[in-house]
Amino acid sequence: MIARNAVVVAAVVILGTLSGCSHSKAKNKPDKPTALVPIKAQFEPRRAWSASTGTAEPKLRLGLSPAIDGNRVYGAGARGDVLALDLATGHQLWRRHFKLTFSAGPGAGSGLVLVGTSGGTMLALGADDGAERWRVQLNSELLAAAAASGDLVVVRTVDGKLYGLNAADGQQRWVADQQVPRLSLRGTSAPVVAGELAISGFDNGRLMAVSLANGNTAWDVAVGQARGSSELQRLIDIDSRPVIDGDDLFAVAFQGRAVRLTRDTGHEIWSHEISSYRGIAADAFGVYVSTAEGAVVRLDRASGAERWRQQALLRRMLSAPVIQGSNVVVADIEGVIHWLSIEDGSFRARARSGSRVSAAPLVSGNLLLLETDKGVIEAWRTPGS
C-alpha cells in the first residue's frame, strides 16, 4: 500500500500542475482560469453565518465537507476538531478535539457522526453530544464520508475496499473490493445507501452495488473505460458520490461517461461521453455535470442528450453542482459561488466566499452550505425556498 500511496501522491502533483486534472497534459504550466465577466444579477445571496473547523489549507486534497442531518450541521477539521452547529443560525452546539488528522467526512446518520483519518481510523461520535462511541482501524486512508443506514455503517477506503461495519460498535460485518489501478487521482467516491444496497464508485472506473446484509455483489458496471498508452491517459476514476433519484442512479467518471442506470439492477438506460472528477446532480428534467475542464453541462434526463453548456468558467476547477430551486450552483478555485439557470445555463447570481471551494456544496431550502479549503463552513441565504 505504501508504494501505491506514493504513486497516487505523484499523480496529485502532476495533475494539480495540469490545471486540476484537465486534458492539457502536454503543457508545462497550467492555463490561467478564465477571467470572470460581469453579470446582471437577478438576486443577491447573503452570507447568513460562518464557522471555522480550525483547519489550515492542506497541501493535498482531503475529503472534508459538512453534513446535514435534521436541523444540525456537522463539520470536521484536518487538525482534529469535530463540531455540531444549528442549521438555521450557525450556533455551535458542541465541539470536540481529537489527536487525529482527519481527512474524510463527516458522515451523519443513525445517531452518529462519522469521521475518517489519513491513517485509516474510522471514528464514530454521538450526534447529540460528540462523545466517542467507537473507533476502528482500517487498512488504508479514508478520503470520503461514510454512510450510515439503520444498524450499518458503510465505509470506502482508497485501496478499493468497501466495508460494512456495525453501527453499534464498529465491528466488521463484511468487506467487498475492486482491483484499483496503480495510478489514480487523489479522491474517493463516497458510498450511498439505497434500499438494500450500498453503492460506490472506484478508481478503475467501475460502479458497484453490494447487499447491505452480506456485502455480496448485486451488480457491477463500467462507467469509465481506460484508453491511451500512458498511465495518465488511462485514468478513469469515479471520485464523486453517485446520485440516487427515485429508481434511477446517476454517476460520472473522469475521462469517461455520465450514465443513468436503474438503481436496483444497474441496467444502463443511457450514457454520454463526458469527463468529470467533481460530480453530478439531477432533478426531474435534467442531469448537471461539472466537467474536468470547468464547463457546466446540462444533459436531458430522459435521453442523455446535451441541452446546454456554460463555458465561461473553464479552468476554474469547479465543485460538484447542486440544485437549489430553479438554479444549479457551483463554486470555484477562487471561492466564487455561481448560480446558473437550470433552463439555459445563464448566470443568475454570484457571491464570493472566503477562499477556494473544492467540496460539493449542500442545499437546505434557501440555504446553501459550503466548506472552503481553509476549513470555514459558510451558509448563504437566497430569496425564496
Side-chain angles (χ1 to χ4, degrees):
M1 189 57 213
I2 295 176
R4 182 176 183 272
N5 280 345
V7 176
V8 172
V9 171
V12 175
V13 174
I14 293 168
L15 292 173
T17 303
L18 298 173
S19 189
C21 315
S22 73
H23 290 291
S24 55
K25 294 183 171 67
K27 299 183 179 181
N28 293 323
K29 295 183 179 179
D31 291 333
K32 291 182 179 180
T34 298
L36 296 179
V37 298
I39 66 169
K40 185 176 181 180
Q42 298 183 31
F43 58 88
E44 183 180 359
R46 296 184 178 274
R47 187 186 279 109
W49 54 260
S50 65
S52 174
T53 65
T55 304
E57 191 163 11
K59 294 181 179 179
L60 292 176
R61 178 183 170 193
L62 302 178
L64 295 172
S65 61
I68 298 175
D69 190 26
N71 61 358
R72 291 188 174 191
V73 179
Y74 300 97
R79 293 183 176 178
D81 281 2
V82 186
L83 67 159
L85 307 168
D86 180 82
L87 174 62
T89 66
H91 173 71
Q92 182 174 295
L93 304 173
W94 54 255
R95 180 185 287 258
R96 301 288 180 265
H97 179 76
F98 300 88
K99 293 182 179 179
L100 295 169
T101 302
F102 291 131
S103 57
S110 300
L112 298 175
V113 178
L114 302 155
V115 193
T117 77
S118 55
T121 300
M122 185 80 255
L123 180 68
L125 311 178
D128 289 338
D129 57 8
E132 181 174 336
R133 297 289 180 82
W134 51 261
R135 68 174 71 188
V136 296
Q137 185 63 40
L138 303 176
N139 292 328
S140 184
E141 184 178 21
L142 297 165
L143 283 176
S149 177
D151 62 352
L152 190 70
V153 170
V154 182
V155 185
R156 167 86 155 80
T157 54
V158 300
D159 61 351
K161 290 184 170 57
L162 191 66
Y163 291 90
L165 309 177
N166 283 329
D169 56 13
Q171 291 297 307
Q172 181 179 313
R173 287 194 198 173
W174 50 258
V175 60
D177 67 332
Q178 286 274 339
Q179 284 293 117
V180 293
R182 191 173 69 95
L183 187 69
S184 68
L185 305 182
R186 182 174 175 82
T188 304
S189 172
V192 296
V193 173
E196 299 302 315
L197 299 176
I199 304 168
S200 184
F202 292 84
D203 297 347
N204 59 2
R206 302 195 72 86
L207 195 66
M208 181 173 71
V210 303
S211 165
L212 291 179
N214 53 28
N216 290 342
T217 301
W219 52 261
D220 182 358
V221 173
V223 177
Q225 185 171 356
R227 302 168 183 169
S229 56
S230 73
E231 287 187 284
L232 287 178
Q233 291 172 332
R234 295 175 66 81
L235 291 172
I236 51 171
D237 302 47
I238 301 176
D239 273 355
S240 56
R241 187 194 307 264
V243 172
I244 305 290
D245 190 50
D247 293 330
D248 291 330
L249 181 147
F250 302 91
V252 65
F254 179 65
Q255 300 185 143
R257 306 179 297 160
V259 295
R260 176 186 173 188
L261 310 175
T262 54
R263 184 193 69 184
D264 293 336
T265 66
H267 172 72
E268 184 178 302
I269 299 172
W270 55 252
S271 68
H272 183 96
E273 292 287 325
I274 201 167
S275 175
S276 175
Y277 58 93
R278 288 301 196 202
I280 197 167
D283 63 13
F285 304 103
V287 178
Y288 309 87
V289 182
S290 294
T291 73
E293 296 82 7
V296 182
V297 178
R298 173 178 170 170
L299 306 176
D300 183 79
R301 177 166 176 147
S303 67
E306 184 172 315
R307 294 305 182 206
W308 54 254
R309 176 180 292 255
Q310 175 56 263
Q311 299 198 91
L313 302 175
L314 292 180
R315 299 179 299 281
R316 297 191 67 85
M317 298 180 70
L318 304 180
S319 71
V322 291
I323 298 166
Q324 186 180 38
S326 58
N327 305 295
V328 56
V329 190
V330 294
D332 70 23
I333 189 174
E334 294 179 338
V336 182
I337 313 164
H338 309 270
W339 282 260
L340 312 178
S341 165
I342 62 171
E343 295 300 326
D344 58 13
S346 60
F347 288 95
R348 302 194 68 218
R350 183 179 288 164
R352 187 175 292 274
S353 69
S355 64
R356 171 178 172 171
V357 178
S358 298
L362 299 172
V363 169
S364 178
N366 67 337
L367 277 183
L368 179 86
L369 270 74
L370 53 83
E371 182 169 343
T372 72
D373 285 11
K374 289 186 177 179
V376 177
I377 299 173
E378 299 182 356
W380 290 82
R381 195 180 307 278
T382 58
S385 62

